[in-house]
Amino acid sequence: MFRGSMVAMVTPMQAQDGVRDPVDEEGLARLVDYHVEHGTDAIVAVGTTGESATLNYAEHERVIRIVVEAAAGRIPVIGGTGANSTWEAIELTRSAHKSGCDGALLVVPYYNKPTQQGLIEHFSAIAEAVPIPQILYNVPGRTGCDMLPETVARLAELPNIVGIKEAQGTVERARELVERCGDLIDVFSGDDFNALATMQAGGKGVISVSANVVPRQMHELCAAALAGDYEQASAINAQLSALHQALFSESNPIPVKWAAEQLGLIGPGIRLPLTRLAVEHQERVRAALTQAGAR
């Protein structure tokens, strides 16, 4: 259902006091146009990179609605609707469905460390409550809970669970998921640095941070890999590899928001406890943007 380079899009904000920086709604709509024009294959709105953790409930719903309206059917929109409360995740997913999202991205519940059975019941409840296509999101480095392949295999039997964004960090995990679940759901890389290897293992694309600033290159990388042209994909990936690493020189989305600001795509707003990129990392990110051909 979803393929290629899917940008985990930043949420532009107007710089105010770092606590209540308002969402730049006009800038948000312009970003959607930018991604449509530069070949991005789908937009994820209000994921981790979109500062879901710093937006309140009403803002969360409104950002998704604006992105859907701005996309106007030109590009699929996936709403980030996960939460560590099953009821809240259901409500956010219902809202995204009503707003016209093409899919929902549901992160493993964070902080409360559910069991594997708890994960099965959590995601099953959301899938049963809302008919929208749903992508699971495993990122144990942030959630403190690793959703194991056998758990994913059970959830893959639910008809509206259509994919998983796997950010456990190893290609071996992605390969195991493809082997276990590849005939039921699609596997997407959650890490730009191993996106190509994941697609070589049978994955269908990447939910990408780097695509915020090099959308055309990420689209071309994915298109080549999915067509089996690994020589071309590898050449593009080599050009982007320094950027993939530099954009995690501090916690995401700090570096990518700074990079997008340098390219004139967004303003400087970011909400505490996130801060602007430290000076000692700025030259590394700037050099990586140049090497990647960002403009």
Side-chain angles (χ1 to χ4, degrees):
M1 178 171 291
F2 304 107
R3 294 287 187 277
S5 174
M6 296 166 276
V7 64
M9 198 169 72
V10 298
T11 300
M13 297 174 180
Q14 300 169 15
Q16 183 171 287
D17 58 6
V19 178
R20 296 164 294 179
D21 289 8
V23 172
D24 179 358
E25 297 187 357
E26 292 182 0
L28 184 62
R30 286 195 301 270
L31 267 189
V32 174
D33 289 338
Y34 170 76
H35 283 288
V36 172
E37 293 164 5
H38 287 79
T40 294
D41 296 296
I43 292 173
V44 174
V46 201
T48 303
T49 310
E51 288 179 81
S52 57
T54 70
L55 298 182
N56 65 36
Y57 193 95
E59 289 173 323
H60 194 130
E61 291 185 308
R62 180 152 180 78
V63 168
I64 289 175
R65 190 176 306 115
I66 290 169
V67 173
V68 170
E69 290 172 356
R74 296 175 294 166
I75 185 172
V77 176
I78 301 163
T81 60
N84 58 353
S85 158
T86 304
W87 178 244
E88 182 178 351
I90 288 172
E91 289 297 289
L92 285 169
T93 306
R94 280 178 175 155
S95 175
H97 187 215
K98 290 176 183 177
S99 293
C101 273
D102 300 282
L105 179 69
L106 293 153
V107 71
V108 164
Y110 42 87
Y111 187 75
N112 45 24
K113 295 186 177 181
T115 64
Q116 297 299 303
Q117 182 60 33
L119 294 176
I120 290 169
E121 295 186 23
H122 169 81
F123 288 114
S124 296
I126 303 166
E128 291 166 6
V130 193
I132 193 172
Q134 295 170 25
I135 300 171
L136 310 174
Y137 178 18
N138 186 43
V139 56
R142 283 187 178 265
T143 64
C145 178
D146 185 12
M147 183 162 54
L148 300 177
E150 51 266 34
T151 300
V152 178
R154 289 183 60 183
L155 291 167
E157 297 174 0
L158 298 173
N160 57 329
I161 292 182
V162 301
I164 178 168
K165 175 185 178 181
E166 180 53 67
Q168 180 261 2
T170 67
V171 178
E172 289 74 21
R173 171 62 66 86
R175 186 176 293 112
E176 182 177 357
L177 287 169
V178 170
E179 291 172 355
R180 282 178 174 263
C181 312
D183 58 341
L184 293 174
I185 63 172
D186 293 325
V187 177
F188 308 114
S189 174
D191 299 300
D192 285 296
F193 64 84
N194 68 16
L196 173 55
T198 295
M199 287 183 280
Q200 289 175 305
K204 301 303 183 183
V206 58
I207 296 180
S208 171
V209 174
S210 295
N212 279 283
V213 290
V214 284
R216 177 65 62 186
Q217 293 93 321
M218 285 302 301
H219 166 75
E220 291 174 351
L221 187 159
C222 290
L226 293 174
D229 187 351
Y230 298 127
E231 182 177 355
Q232 174 67 7
S234 295
I236 299 170
N237 194 55
Q239 183 184 15
L240 302 180
S241 60
L243 181 65
H244 296 335
Q245 300 295 332
L247 291 182
F248 286 85
S249 55
E250 288 189 344
S251 296
N252 181 45
I254 290 172
V256 74
K257 289 200 86 173
W258 185 86
E261 179 194 350
Q262 300 310 297
L263 297 175
L265 299 173
I266 63 172
I270 189 167
R271 286 186 183 174
L272 288 169
L274 300 174
T275 54
R276 281 177 60 77
L277 184 66
V279 172
E280 58 264 32
H281 298 301
Q282 292 178 8
E283 184 52 40
R284 177 187 178 191
V285 175
R286 187 179 289 111
L289 286 170
T290 299
Q291 180 179 329
R295 57 185 183 276

